[in-house]
Amino acid sequence: MTSTLAADRARLLELVKELAVVHGKVILSSGKEADYYIDLRRITLHHEASRLAGRVMLAMLDDAGIEFETAGGLTMGADPVGTALMHAAGDAGRAIDAFVVRKAQKSYGMGRQVEGPGVDGRNVVVLEDTSTTGGSALTAVEGVRKAGGNIVAVAVIVDRDTGAKERIEAEANVPYLFIFGKDELGLD
């Protein structure tokens, strides 16, 4: 890991801890209750943290040997992650597109579930900001596969260590990568 990348990762971790970790009882999108919430939109929509997240995510995927042409996921959580990754790749002189996946196919217009540059026949990374059960990422995987995309990995910023990795790897049959585990956030 280069010193610049190490510094980017360290600063991103600092910002996640400072801005995104909220303590208190919450109900997660999975319906599960938790003693904390990781609000990563406070990171992915932050002027400094977004750039860091894109660079660190791109480096993580490169280090894992994941070759892809486009990245995105279920709309809302994944949208700013895909945009950050796309811009980080562009800054590095690489052409990586981003896309968004709707929960369901549109019944009007072009009738698509996956929006943006096409995924058909392309290597795709499905993104999410964080995952508890893996449900959102798996919905995105299904939509992208229906649109003809070849899923090569699922990647998230924070893994909550609640079974998403195991479920996604078993059901989608692709690697699941994450930048930070909850232990790095001091949430064990």
Side-chain angles (χ1 to χ4, degrees):
M1 186 182 297
T2 66
S3 61
T4 302
L5 180 57
D8 283 354
R9 191 179 190 285
R11 177 63 178 148
L12 180 59
L13 179 59
E14 184 180 297
L15 289 168
V16 169
K17 288 178 177 179
E18 178 185 325
L19 302 174
V21 178
V22 180
H23 294 278
K25 294 272 186 214
V26 293
I27 303 297
L28 304 172
S29 65
S30 63
K32 294 183 178 185
E33 186 177 293
D35 293 329
Y36 61 89
Y37 184 69
I38 304 170
D39 186 355
L40 285 168
R41 280 175 282 295
R42 293 180 179 189
I43 295 303
T44 59
L45 297 171
H46 183 269
H47 66 280
E48 178 187 4
S50 174
R51 296 175 65 83
L52 295 169
R55 289 196 301 255
V56 174
M57 179 70 74
L58 183 62
M60 177 187 70
L61 290 164
D62 287 347
D63 289 348
I66 305 296
E67 294 184 20
F68 64 104
E69 302 161 84
T70 186
L74 199 61
T75 193
M76 192 51 94
D79 297 352
V81 183
T83 302
L85 181 62
M86 176 182 65
H87 287 298
D91 290 346
R94 295 170 60 185
I96 303 287
D97 290 326
F99 62 87
V100 298
V101 180
R102 298 171 183 277
K103 286 185 180 180
Q105 187 172 346
K106 286 177 18 179
S107 61
Y108 56 92
M110 302 273 303
R112 295 189 302 210
Q113 184 176 6
V114 180
E115 298 287 354
V119 297
D120 188 28
R122 299 174 83 190
N123 285 350
V124 174
V125 171
V126 167
L127 302 170
E128 188 59 74
D129 52 8
T130 188
S131 193
T132 303
T133 65
S136 293
L138 288 169
T139 298
V141 165
E142 181 183 340
V144 169
R145 284 184 172 154
K146 282 182 187 174
N150 175 39
I151 310 291
V152 294
V154 171
V156 302
I157 297 172
V158 173
D159 178 59
R160 295 177 56 91
D161 193 24
T162 52
K165 176 179 173 50
E166 296 78 10
R167 181 177 177 203
I168 288 167
E169 288 182 343
E171 292 183 28
N173 198 31
V174 295
Y176 173 94
L177 303 140
F178 56 91
I179 297 172
F180 304 117
K182 75 174 189 175
D183 57 324
E184 290 179 87
L185 303 180
L187 297 172
D188 267 345

